[in-house]
Amino acid sequence: MEYPFQDIEKKWQKIWQEKKIFNPLNKTDKQNYYVLAMFPYPSGILHCGHVSNYSISDAIARVKMMEGFNVMNPMGFDSFGMPAENYAIQHNSHPRITTEECIEAMHKQFDSVGFGLDWDREVSTCRPDYYRWGQFIFKKLYEKGLVYRKKSFQNWCEECQTVLANEQVENGHCWRCESEVTQKELEQWYFKITEYAEELLDFSKMIEWPERVMTMQKNWIGKSFGTEIDFVLENSMDSCLRRNDEGLEETGELVKVFTTRPDTIFGVTFMALPPEHPYVQRWLAAEPDNKPLHEFCHMVINEDKIERTAEDTTKEGIFSGKYCINPVNGDKVQIWITNYVVMDYGTGAVMAVPAHDQRDFEFAKKYNLPIKIVIQNKEHNLAVETMQEAYIEEGWQVNSAQFDGMENEPAKKAITDWIADKNMGKQTVTYRLRDWGVSRQRYWGNPIPIIYCDDCGVVLVPDKDLPVLLPDNVQVGKTTRNPLLSVPEFVNTTCPQCGKAARRETDTMDTFVDSSWYFARYADPKNDKEPFSKENANSWLPVDQYIGGIEHAVMHLLYARFIHKFMRDLGWVDCDEPFARLLTQGMVTKDGAKMSKSKGNVVDPKYIIDRYGADTLRVFLLFASPPEKDVEWSDDGVMGAFRFLNRVWRLIETYKDTIRKGLSYCSSGQDVSGQFKDLQYSTHHTVKKWLDDTEKRMQYNTAIAAVMEHLNNVTSIKEPNKLNEAELAVFARACVIIPRLLYPFAPHIAEELWQQLGNKHLIHESGMPTYKPERLIRDTISYVIQINGKVRGKMDIAPDTPDEKVKELALEVENVKKTLEGKTIHKIIVIPQKMVSIAIS
RNA sequence: GCGAAAGUGGCGGAAUGGCAGACGCGCUGGACUUAGGAUCCAGUAGGCGCAAGCCUGUAGGGGUUCAAGUCCCCUCUUUCGCACCA
């Protein structure tokens, strides 16, 4: 007989909804607790990954409710983006319609799992009441000088008329139309996230973040210290002024290089520039007939970005015909245009030191460029003729003028100081992090609130005109170009400043912008005066516990931290970080692989819920592994969870009258023995373990295991209806704790059984379960006796036995005596309440 | 290549320096059954032994410790992130 999970689950979902227990006010006399799992893209189909993620946040929320917090666990939808456009095309519909349908479907499906979500606070990024404030934030960023437009080379598909991300380029061809991808210089909007690079490296305000996420962000930001050195361009067209000992001096234009190895500056034998470098672009323009140069640059620029930046790509280059002067020794060095230097790191120019940099070495070998040793190995003398690879280890400075003989490490600083002193450069810091390009040539996204006027230039849309509404009358899929370009009533507008005809920006924002502040909107989701009020934001933020996949370790979490810090700087919110604690949960796999349609290994949660109930599915997913690890799907595992819940049901259903009677008896616990003493211990011990696992460790698999173990202890009592009063009191208390311990994981069955045992309140209203430490004291303690690290005996003795007596007793144990025969004891160590360790010769 | 995490029975996993394998699955045997994807009982790391008990065992090797899956060093494997970053 299976327990009636279908009736129970519907019943309690209705009660929770009616009592609005998951719809917290912003201010109550309780302390606020904000738990948030990353909002989903509304695919319309609930999959096991959703159930797994939101089962974790739901468990946390319910534990915190039991603890007496005012808990917010909101839900919304990350509903802009490319997949919605594609979905609409497939279904011959419009993204607004299909997206809203999907949202409704998912809302229902989430409810069918019994998640305690605050739907009153639902946000959906594609709705004007939300994206309006995204545009507002864009404007604020712009006003603070954190938004700019920059021309840069992008993967461009002529056929689709859009920019492609690196991962959307397959072997140099567009992933969608398969036409060749070229590099096009385009104006794109950028957010100056690099302004916050330094603060984003500071993780000290997080209460608990996984080490590896912080490491990934650190690596991504990639701070490195080095020196910027100015090389003077020979025969340059323009000139610039430079300060020297005597005052200002006129020199040629400067080629600035960034290096982490200023100690090798005397070993520079050529300069390497990428074809994108502005000087190179200028030379190209000045020499339209220089065919080899044009061909080489064109080829490199249009090379697939991924391929070009792969380490094993062969280094290629061409001599530009230009020279520059090494400021430290006046050497005239050739300037080469190469494919191995990238424009957007450092200064986009490299001083090449083949003797001490492997890439430069390979390049110099290939093109027969000179190699000059300036760091000498202390043990084996290096010689240019015999070098097989660059020498990048430590050594003495040689051929380095006044620095000869110094060790190269201190020489780095000495040379930098000297260069700075001579105004030839300076110490500097460079980041790998680049500014955030937010322009997308796509329809289904948040319009950028910008108007272009021939007279006034770039003009922000005034606040009163926000939101810039995304027009609906777009033929999705009918055009391959940016769809907004084909909506004249959107494009054509008037300039807010001069009133003349003007046109709108047709790019939309990267959807990562939408997800960079939604957590704050939940605090005040219906505010139509501002993105959220400071009061409400401060009452909830930072998110106490954020939950999401590791795939968002860098992008989303870095962008959200950036925007949050910006909002803080605007005075909108006080805290420095948006997410105090972060849990990166694993994914649900089957046959060792992520569930996906293409692999055909998808399990439909709806089927499991219909057949075994939502509680079973949740218990299975939480029990299978700790939250941060992947869960391997197992049909047998689901059965195991179902069997467990059925056992709980049978126990309490069968004996509910007996248990209720037992609860009315006083339980002093002093008048039982044996099995019942053990059972009483089990009750208190299980609560202790459960509290530790749910509150401190957030390890739900072991919390559930503890409940299972306790259930085994309870069901080992035979014929409970024949117990005496004292025994029954213990038995009843052992039973009644089970629904409460099960509540965060299997809330429906828990509430039902709790009610059947005569309780009038909901479980969370009854507070956290507690245990009595004095009930954890056993009559006897089992000691293990180790000899040289091996277990040689056991003994059960009174817990308050003094250490000296414990030693004596241990030596009396039969097998211990035997093992010790004829041996000398070095040392006896007593670990109180646990073991005796004896070291012998 | 750099950085990070991990490696435990047939499987998922547990063990906060203190009895390795909790709990669940699977499997074996039994009970009840016309029947079982039901329920209940017993067993289940490997080896030796009639037994008491002994030996081996947490990827491999070394070390610290009375005591190591856990801490340290080296090697291997896997996964993830970054990747010509000057």
Side-chain angles (χ1 to χ4, degrees):
Chain A
M1 249 271 287
E2 293 172 355
Y3 84 96
F5 55 87
Q6 275 168 340
D7 300 340
I8 293 171
E9 292 183 357
K10 277 201 203 76
K11 168 182 166 185
W12 288 98
Q13 284 161 15
K14 195 159 161 262
I15 293 173
W16 294 331
Q17 207 167 17
E18 281 167 3
K19 297 203 169 193
K20 290 193 139 316
I21 61 169
F22 298 113
N23 306 95
L25 300 172
N26 287 330
K27 270 217 177 326
T28 64
D29 51 358
K30 295 176 181 175
Q31 203 183 328
N32 284 355
Y33 190 93
Y34 185 1
V35 55
L36 181 65
M38 292 177 186
F39 64 170
Y41 164 73
S43 61
I45 303 155
L46 181 80
H47 54 73
C48 287
H50 292 126
V51 181
S52 172
N53 302 353
Y54 301 123
S55 290
I56 295 167
S57 44
D58 197 53
I60 294 170
R62 289 178 193 263
V63 168
K64 290 295 159 183
M65 283 171 71
M66 291 169 90
E67 268 185 84
F69 286 94
N70 182 45
V71 175
M72 170 160 82
N73 179 21
M75 181 54 72
F77 297 95
D78 190 15
S79 48
F80 266 141
M82 204 55 180
E85 275 183 62
N86 292 337
Y87 185 89
I89 293 166
Q90 273 170 34
H91 292 76
N92 200 22
S93 182
H94 189 279
R96 182 161 311 284
I97 298 166
T98 53
T99 301
E100 288 300 335
E101 282 169 0
C102 285
I103 287 174
E104 204 190 324
M106 293 197 83
H107 183 142
K108 278 191 191 137
Q109 292 172 84
F110 283 143
D111 283 350
S112 77
V113 196
F115 295 136
L117 300 166
D118 185 356
W119 289 110
D120 292 349
R121 294 176 187 264
E122 177 184 335
V123 303
S124 174
T125 56
C126 72
R127 293 179 190 151
D129 66 341
Y130 181 80
Y131 70 68
R132 169 185 183 178
W133 301 113
Q135 295 173 5
F136 187 72
I137 290 169
F138 181 99
K139 286 188 62 183
K140 288 288 164 203
L141 282 160
Y142 190 98
E143 286 162 7
K144 297 282 172 190
L146 292 167
V147 179
Y148 65 97
R149 249 186 349 155
K150 185 178 76 174
K151 266 195 169 179
S152 66
F153 286 92
Q154 306 282 336
N155 297 316
W156 177 261
C157 175
E158 189 59 31
E159 186 73 22
C160 302
Q161 292 281 308
T162 193
V163 165
L164 298 173
N166 287 343
E167 57 274 15
Q168 292 166 342
V169 181
E170 293 164 354
N171 300 320
H173 294 267
C174 173
W175 65 293
R176 198 160 36 163
C177 71
E178 292 185 1
S179 60
E180 205 167 328
V181 172
T182 56
Q183 293 297 309
K184 188 174 178 180
E185 209 173 18
L186 271 178
E187 292 255 76
Q188 298 270 289
W189 288 103
Y190 285 87
F191 286 176
K192 271 194 203 167
I193 189 173
T194 49
E195 289 268 307
Y196 283 77
E198 205 48 50
E199 209 198 330
L200 289 169
L201 277 172
D202 176 12
F203 297 95
S204 63
K205 305 275 168 56
M206 275 90 172
I207 295 175
E208 215 177 304
W209 265 44
E211 202 57 47
R212 68 170 174 151
V213 174
M214 295 191 285
T215 307
M216 280 161 77
Q217 294 203 354
K218 256 179 217 153
N219 292 343
W220 186 266
I221 295 168
K223 182 181 188 175
S224 59
F225 297 92
T227 309
E228 206 175 272
I229 303 171
D230 301 336
F231 282 57
V232 178
L233 200 59
E234 222 194 27
N235 302 323
S236 71
M237 291 178 267
D238 293 309
S239 61
C240 77
L241 291 173
R242 186 152 76 166
R243 189 176 300 278
N244 67 10
D245 295 343
E246 282 89 44
L248 291 177
E249 162 198 41
E250 193 171 337
T251 71
E253 276 184 290
L254 302 177
V255 182
K256 287 180 182 293
V257 300
F258 171 77
T259 181
T260 54
R261 293 294 306 274
D263 52 322
T264 65
I265 177 74
F266 288 91
V268 174
T269 58
F270 63 101
M271 168 76 63
L273 297 183
E276 292 89 349
H277 196 282
Y279 287 177
V280 178
Q281 290 291 310
R282 209 170 63 198
W283 298 333
L284 284 169
E287 296 176 56
D289 301 328
N290 190 337
K291 236 183 147 187
L293 197 68
H294 274 271
E295 273 172 12
F296 178 78
C297 290
H298 184 261
M299 182 193 82
V300 173
I301 287 176
N302 284 311
E303 213 177 332
D304 184 307
K305 262 192 188 164
I306 300 215
E307 231 158 78
R308 176 169 156 199
T309 54
E311 205 169 351
D312 47 9
T313 306
T314 31
K315 293 169 181 44
E316 295 192 68
I318 188 168
F319 176 46
S320 67
K322 311 283 180 191
Y323 293 86
C324 62
I325 307 297
N326 184 342
V328 298
N329 56 10
D331 277 4
K332 181 170 158 180
V333 296
Q334 298 186 343
I335 300 177
W336 282 68
I337 301 164
T338 70
N339 66 344
Y340 77 94
V341 178
V342 294
M343 191 55 223
D344 36 11
Y345 181 75
T347 57
V350 169
M351 59 172 224
V353 187
H356 306 294
D357 182 283
Q358 187 57 25
R359 296 153 301 182
D360 299 341
F361 183 83
E362 284 167 31
F363 192 85
K365 280 280 172 194
K366 181 166 176 182
Y367 291 100
N368 267 318
L369 292 164
I371 296 172
K372 184 180 169 194
I373 293 169
V374 289
I375 309 291
Q376 192 51 264
N377 188 329
K378 292 175 184 177
E379 276 103 49
H380 322 280
N381 235 13
L382 296 165
V384 171
E385 303 74 43
T386 56
M387 272 180 105
Q388 293 302 307
E389 55 179 12
Y391 180 71
I392 53 171
E393 312 293 317
E394 297 183 354
W396 311 111
Q397 296 287 141
V398 292
N399 294 321
S400 301
Q402 69 268 38
F403 301 99
D404 281 357
M406 273 185 91
E407 300 217 23
N408 75 307
E409 249 336 293
K412 283 180 183 173
K413 187 175 183 321
I415 291 175
T416 301
D417 288 348
W418 178 69
I419 285 172
D421 196 47
K422 298 270 176 204
N423 281 306
M424 298 183 298
K426 60 180 185 204
Q427 191 181 328
T428 180
V429 168
T430 291
Y431 301 91
R432 208 187 70 96
L433 179 71
R434 292 164 205 167
D435 280 337
W436 177 11
V438 296
S439 296
R440 297 289 180 271
Q441 290 70 40
R442 307 229 167 99
Y443 164 58
W444 196 238
N446 193 357
I448 294 173
I450 289 283
I451 291 169
Y452 299 100
C453 170
D454 287 341
D455 292 345
C456 309
V458 174
V459 181
L460 286 172
V461 174
D463 287 350
K464 67 174 172 54
D465 295 338
L466 294 185
V468 175
L469 281 174
L470 191 65
D472 278 348
N473 58 335
V474 172
Q475 295 285 302
V476 183
K478 292 281 159 56
T479 166
T480 49
R481 304 171 60 210
N482 181 350
L484 286 179
L485 277 170
S486 59
V487 187
E489 56 277 33
F490 177 81
V491 178
N492 300 321
T493 183
T494 52
C495 173
Q497 276 176 27
C498 68
K500 281 197 210 141
R503 61 189 173 79
R504 281 189 197 282
E505 170 66 65
T506 52
D507 284 356
T508 52
M509 281 184 245
D510 181 3
T511 53
F512 275 120
V513 178
D514 307 323
S515 54
S516 290
W517 68 283
Y518 76 110
F519 47 88
R521 179 71 176 174
Y522 281 134
D524 196 6
K526 300 207 165 68
N527 196 325
D528 58 1
K529 302 278 181 299
E530 52 190 344
F532 47 84
S533 77
K534 185 168 187 171
E535 193 192 354
N536 285 335
N538 280 339
S539 73
W540 290 110
L541 291 173
V543 174
D544 292 284
Q545 181 67 60
Y546 197 37
I547 298 151
I550 188 72
E551 66 272 19
H552 295 111
V554 175
M555 309 276 252
H556 163 60
L557 288 168
L558 200 62
Y559 294 147
R561 290 179 64 213
F562 160 53
I563 296 294
H564 178 88
K565 286 170 189 297
F566 170 68
M567 297 192 297
R568 174 207 59 193
D569 290 345
L570 289 176
W572 291 1
V573 60
D574 288 335
C575 56
D576 292 307
E577 289 286 342
F579 314 117
R581 288 180 202 81
L582 175 69
L583 190 153
T584 51
Q585 100 282 342
M587 57 186 183
V588 184
T589 62
K590 190 163 183 258
D591 312 317
K594 185 181 176 156
M595 285 189 184
S596 75
K597 255 190 237 165
S598 59
K599 291 198 191 73
N601 61 349
V602 178
V603 175
D604 183 3
K606 185 176 186 304
Y607 170 79
I608 305 294
I609 292 166
D610 290 347
R611 176 63 191 84
Y612 303 105
D615 283 338
T616 292
L617 181 58
R618 289 159 62 130
V619 167
F620 162 71
L621 289 168
L622 290 170
F623 178 66
S625 71
E628 67 277 5
K629 286 181 72 178
D630 289 350
V631 173
E632 171 69 16
W633 183 267
S634 153
D635 291 332
D636 289 328
V638 175
M639 286 301 302
F642 188 54
R643 268 203 295 266
F644 165 60
L645 293 181
N646 272 297
R647 287 181 67 203
V648 174
W649 178 266
R650 269 200 309 277
L651 169 74
I652 294 182
E653 269 296 293
T654 312
Y655 299 114
K656 61 183 171 196
D657 296 332
T658 310
I659 296 167
R660 289 175 74 157
K661 194 165 81 184
L663 288 174
S664 67
Y665 298 146
C666 163
S667 164
S668 70
Q670 297 312 306
D671 37 11
V672 291
S673 59
Q675 212 184 0
F676 292 92
K677 202 88 190 166
D678 290 344
L679 184 61
Q680 184 176 54
Y681 173 82
S682 173
T683 305
H684 291 266
H685 178 75
T686 303
V687 171
K688 183 173 189 286
K689 165 94 177 131
W690 184 92
L691 288 171
D692 200 38
D693 285 348
T694 55
E695 281 188 302
K696 262 207 337 245
R697 304 202 311 159
M698 289 213 286
Q699 194 152 308
Y700 304 112
N701 56 332
T702 49
I704 293 170
V707 181
M708 289 174 166
E709 208 171 349
H710 179 62
L711 178 70
N712 290 343
N713 292 332
V714 175
T715 52
S716 69
I717 303 293
K718 298 299 163 211
E719 301 189 277
N721 34 3
K722 293 187 181 161
L723 302 178
N724 67 35
E725 274 191 25
E727 289 167 347
L728 191 54
V730 169
F731 176 79
R733 279 162 182 80
C735 289
V736 77
I737 198 73
I738 293 173
R740 298 174 73 190
L741 301 183
L742 228 39
Y743 178 67
F745 325 118
H748 310 89
I749 190 175
E751 292 273 29
E752 178 65 25
L753 293 173
W754 181 246
Q755 188 187 54
Q756 297 213 10
L757 289 175
N759 295 288
K760 300 279 183 285
H761 296 290
L762 296 177
I763 290 183
H764 75 274
E765 292 166 335
S766 314
M768 271 313 240
T770 54
Y771 67 94
K772 292 189 177 136
E774 66 267 26
R775 296 280 192 259
L776 296 175
I777 300 165
R778 317 298 311 265
D779 292 342
T780 60
I781 295 272
S782 190
Y783 272 77
V784 168
I785 301 141
Q786 281 189 353
I787 296 170
N788 282 357
K790 291 202 160 82
V791 179
R792 295 298 179 199
K794 290 177 186 181
M795 60 182 182
D796 293 331
I797 56 174
D800 52 358
T801 314
D803 286 1
E804 279 311 307
K805 183 78 182 161
V806 173
K807 278 185 198 175
E808 271 174 45
L809 290 169
L811 295 173
E812 294 302 310
V813 172
E814 195 56 39
N815 201 46
V816 173
K817 257 201 272 185
K818 212 172 78 190
T819 314
L820 289 176
E821 227 160 83
K823 301 284 180 357
T824 318
I825 297 172
H826 281 301
K827 209 171 175 184
I828 303 179
I829 296 158
V830 176
I831 313 298
Q833 316 295 305
K834 281 203 175 115
M835 66 158 51
V836 181
S837 187
I838 302 167
I840 60 171
S841 53

